Amino acid sequence: MHDCLPVDTREACVALDAADPLAPLRDQFALPEGLIYLDGNSLGVLPRATPGRVARVIEQEWGQGLIRSWNRAGWIDLPRRVGDRIGRLLGAGPGEVIAADSTSLNLYKVLAVALALAARQPDGPARRVIVSEPDNFPTDLYIAESLAAQHGCELELVEPDRLAARLAGEAGRDVAVLMLTHVNYRSGRMHPMAALSAAARAAGALSLWDLAHSAGAVPLDLKAAGADFAVGCGYKYLNGGPGAPAFLWVAPQHLQTLAESPHLHRIQPLTGWMGHAMPFAFSPQYEAAEDIRRFLCGTPSVLALAALDAGLDTLLAAEPLGGMAALRAKSIALTQCFIDLVELRCADQGLHLCTPRNAEERGSQASFYRAEGGYAIVQALIERGVIGDYRAPGLLRFGFTPLYLGFADIWDAVEQLRQVLHRGEWRDPRFAHQSPVT
């Protein structure tokens, strides 16, 4: 049904929605009436089941079970159980993903391990460079700068089109880790994970991927792609709620290396008690768990993990309908519909597409640059009930979550954008006032 594009009427969009086998998934979400939400790439929509799920944990498991619920309700296993469910979206096997902490903390853990493993290679002393791109998400670069200073390395930022060349031949012999966000948060450009992971491996380097804008948005198979490490957050396409726990994945061969090498038990730098082989032995000496649990640190956030688990239900509900492949096909169609309609109906309004036109090179978003008024335009759209977001300088960013968006939503969103631009509504001074969060 997604081969019917392009569409040039709202009636055609309504017909696409009527024929969409994924349309019933929208009922899983508590969407405010009359609101079109194009910001799931920043914060996913509240699933209807989440309040009841969290209330049950509060009222029954905590309120009645109290501390007994660590065992009776299985709280202690939540990071692993939720991690295994995320793994189904990543092409990962059981015991390879753990849900915990924030993306920044998890990046610190796995990047530190990657640098330590790279340093233990025969040519380790020569491998002193972390390679990333200038437009990577800032927290990733900040964490990498900090670790580079601690490990006597340097962070080198390479333009995306030059990454393969930087890793090739003699040029790549000083690279320890290639660290990239799979889908760029600004442009929506998607790196070729398999090709770049292979290039890193050929150079003798390790690859680390931030999946914040791809987990739950595009099909992933980390092992088939040859990745070494991955991190990601739970509050965007996974619908886990604001500040939801993040996750991390470690390739099985690295987990095995760590398990078989007792001298590496402290290679994960945040050696908190939950990463201990026997946390409730309360030993004064640290001994790392042999599996993915060694990447835990402190006590898990049970309420937040329960909400994330409910969010994952919304994605896994698509498995009988084709799973991530079906969601990706609809995502591509929604994004293409939006791009086509914006360029058709908002022509000559100064909007320039920053997202790749080739669907295979983009995630589930479309970003347009406008030299003047970008922030105000987004604020005017929000007042009209269309929520996107703004990234300085001049970037209007729109995310497309196929679980709860339809083609009529796309038509209506573009119509609202057209009116904001043609009527000059964005010039109203109240839309220029910038809030702390943009």
Side-chain angles (χ1 to χ4, degrees), residues 25-112:
L25 296 174
R26 181 186 179 105
D27 293 337
Q28 299 180 102
F29 296 92
L31 279 160
E33 187 68 28
L35 190 74
I36 301 173
Y37 192 70
L38 304 181
D39 209 12
N41 52 326
S42 282
L43 175 66
V45 169
L46 172 68
R48 293 185 188 277
T50 300
R53 172 67 187 279
V54 174
R56 184 173 73 249
V57 175
I58 293 173
E59 296 168 4
Q60 297 178 22
E61 297 178 9
W62 179 13
Q64 301 299 317
L66 292 168
I67 201 167
R68 294 170 294 182
S69 288
W70 283 106
N71 292 313
R72 292 183 181 179
W75 287 355
I76 194 67
D77 294 322
L78 270 174
R80 178 188 53 80
R81 293 205 315 270
V82 173
D84 281 350
R85 302 187 84 208
I86 295 171
R88 288 158 64 177
L89 306 172
L90 311 181
E96 295 176 15
V97 178
I98 202 80
D101 300 321
S102 67
T103 306
S104 298
L105 284 173
N106 287 337
L107 180 65
Y108 184 87
K109 297 173 196 173
V110 297
L111 181 54

Side-chain angles (χ1 to χ4, degrees), residues 139-160:
T139 194
D140 293 30
L141 300 182
Y142 303 159
I143 294 292
E145 284 179 346
S146 173
L147 279 166
Q150 294 172 38
H151 286 255
C153 299
E154 65 174 294
L155 173 64
E156 182 179 336
L157 304 182
V158 178
E159 294 296 334

Side-chain angles (χ1 to χ4, degrees), residues 374-399:
Y375 178 83
I377 291 166
V378 170
Q379 298 311 302
L381 271 176
I382 291 172
E383 184 169 281
R384 282 176 163 266
V386 178
I387 298 183
D389 68 21
Y390 170 81
R391 293 292 178 263
L395 205 64
L396 290 73
R397 198 177 67 148
F398 305 94

Side-chain angles (χ1 to χ4, degrees), residues 262-271 284-288 294:
H263 63 287
L264 297 179
H265 75 291
R266 289 186 179 274
I267 195 172
Q268 198 276 85
L270 299 180
T271 49
Q285 286 79 40
Y286 184 77
E287 179 184 348
R294 73 191 301 140

